[in-house]
Amino acid sequence: MPEGPELHLASCYINTVCAGLIFSGKVEKSEVSKNPEVLFESDAYLISATSRGKEIKLTLMPLKEEKDTLPGRERGREGQSQNGPQQPMDLVFRFGMSGSFKLTSGAELPKHAHLRFYTKESPRRALCFVDFRRFGRWEVHGTWQLDRGPCVMLEYEKFRENVLRNLSDKAFNKPICEALLNQKFFNGICNYLRAEILYRLKIPPFEKARTVLEALQHRKQSPDLTLSKKVKLKRENPDLLELCHAVPMEVIDMGGKGYGPEPSDDTTAFEEWLQCYCVPGMRSLRDGNGRTIWFQVRTAVALHSERLDS
């Protein structure tokens, strides 16, 4: 399943491949998709993307370019449909299990391309939202979901404050492995990231979330330390919330090789980076939501058994 890093890499991919491209015409939706129609049509428009946690916002921006005209003749404008000027539009995407974007030939659309934006050039190309499982969703005139917290990657300080300020929330009554999937507090974290984060800190996945996180409220560094020493200590001994930022950033720094928005046969880099998730020799159990958590800490088995017996 695409997680926060993959959504961010997808936004970077969109901005890279769409730089300098002008799109034109209607936005097409596949007949089988149950997502809403995108009623956008423009003679010329640009596409850009931003990400926040597990969401991507696509902005369609019509171009308004005055044309040379004869005296007394009305000026035409690019970026408008026959029904008048087209306004900018935001589309917010959630990838589900298999969503991704791909720029392809307009004549050879990939299978399961459920939303298509065509370039104005000839031959045309198409930016496609591809989703073979069809769990992905888009929202027309969309905004970031209000029940999602700050992004663990791009809004770290707000993310950390949001967690520590709300530890009385019932979400933290659950095991830490389940709390880490709660997008109200950990926007961008999902299955493989939670496994890698808990593994590095040797935190049993079924330990109560509040127990793990309350200790961070009182974590203070000596005021006598220099800034460089404080940075070094954080790098060498990160806490759980710091790793919720640092681990996704490691995936982003890999540039998506083998696990980015562009399909690739070479998954070596990502597979070698994984230390716990689906790694031979690691253990796995189902959490209370039926999701598989991978771990190594032996005490996690006992903690899970106690939880089931209680």
Side-chain angles (χ1 to χ4, degrees), residues 107-297:
E108 299 179 0
L109 296 174
K111 194 175 181 180
H112 309 295
H114 296 300
L115 200 64
R116 298 160 319 241
F117 309 84
Y118 290 95
T119 62
K120 193 168 185 174
E121 63 194 345
S122 182
R124 294 193 305 172
R125 287 183 283 174
L127 179 69
C128 303
F129 179 64
V130 182
D131 183 13
F132 72 92
R133 291 187 178 180
R134 282 190 268 165
F135 291 152
R137 295 289 179 264
W138 62 77
E139 179 185 344
V140 180
H141 298 298
T143 57
W144 305 127
Q145 280 187 323
L146 295 178
D147 60 351
R148 290 179 183 265
C151 176
V152 299
M153 298 164 292
L154 305 180
E155 302 171 293
Y156 170 69
E157 294 299 336
K158 291 181 179 179
F159 149 70
R160 186 181 183 92
E161 180 185 0
N162 185 47
V163 172
L164 296 180
R165 188 181 64 242
N166 291 287
L167 289 182
S168 61
D169 192 281
K170 63 182 181 180
F172 299 106
N173 293 336
K174 295 185 176 182
I176 186 62
C177 67
E178 293 179 20
L180 284 171
L181 299 185
N182 189 324
Q183 299 301 293
K184 180 179 178 181
F185 298 106
F186 297 91
N187 188 9
I189 301 295
C190 205
N191 222 21
Y192 82 82
L193 287 174
R194 68 170 176 171
E196 296 300 314
I197 291 165
L198 295 175
Y199 169 80
R200 293 192 189 188
L201 293 173
K202 298 297 184 281
I203 295 175
F206 294 98
E207 188 166 337
K208 189 174 182 179
R210 189 175 292 106
T211 302
V212 174
L213 293 166
E214 278 182 338
L216 306 188
Q217 290 180 315
H218 311 294
R219 188 188 185 204
K220 294 182 180 180
Q221 292 183 329
S222 170
D224 297 331
L225 293 175
T226 63
L227 178 60
S228 61
K229 287 185 177 180
K230 288 180 180 180
V231 172
K232 183 180 179 181
L233 281 174
K234 276 195 171 187
R235 188 183 300 117
E236 294 175 348
N237 300 287
D239 64 32
L240 177 70
L241 298 181
E242 288 166 346
L243 281 188
C244 284
H245 168 75
V247 173
M249 294 305 296
E250 290 179 14
V251 180
I252 290 173
D253 290 341
M254 280 191 283
K257 183 178 180 182
Y259 205 83
E262 274 288 76
S264 171
D265 292 332
D266 182 11
T267 61
T268 304
F270 181 71
E271 290 173 355
E272 290 181 348
W273 174 84
L274 289 171
Q275 300 178 40
C276 179
Y277 182 76
C278 290
V279 172
M282 295 294 161
R283 301 189 179 207
S284 65
L285 286 171
R286 294 294 182 97
D287 65 18
N289 298 316
R291 302 287 300 276
T292 300
I293 174 68
W294 294 80
F295 60 93
Q296 184 186 41
V297 184

Side-chain angles (χ1 to χ4, degrees), residues 62-80:
L63 293 174
K64 296 181 178 180
E65 181 179 339
E66 295 185 350
K67 296 180 179 179
D68 294 332
T69 58
L70 295 174
R73 181 177 296 178
E74 291 186 4
R75 290 180 175 180
R77 286 184 181 271
E78 297 224 6
Q80 70 178 37

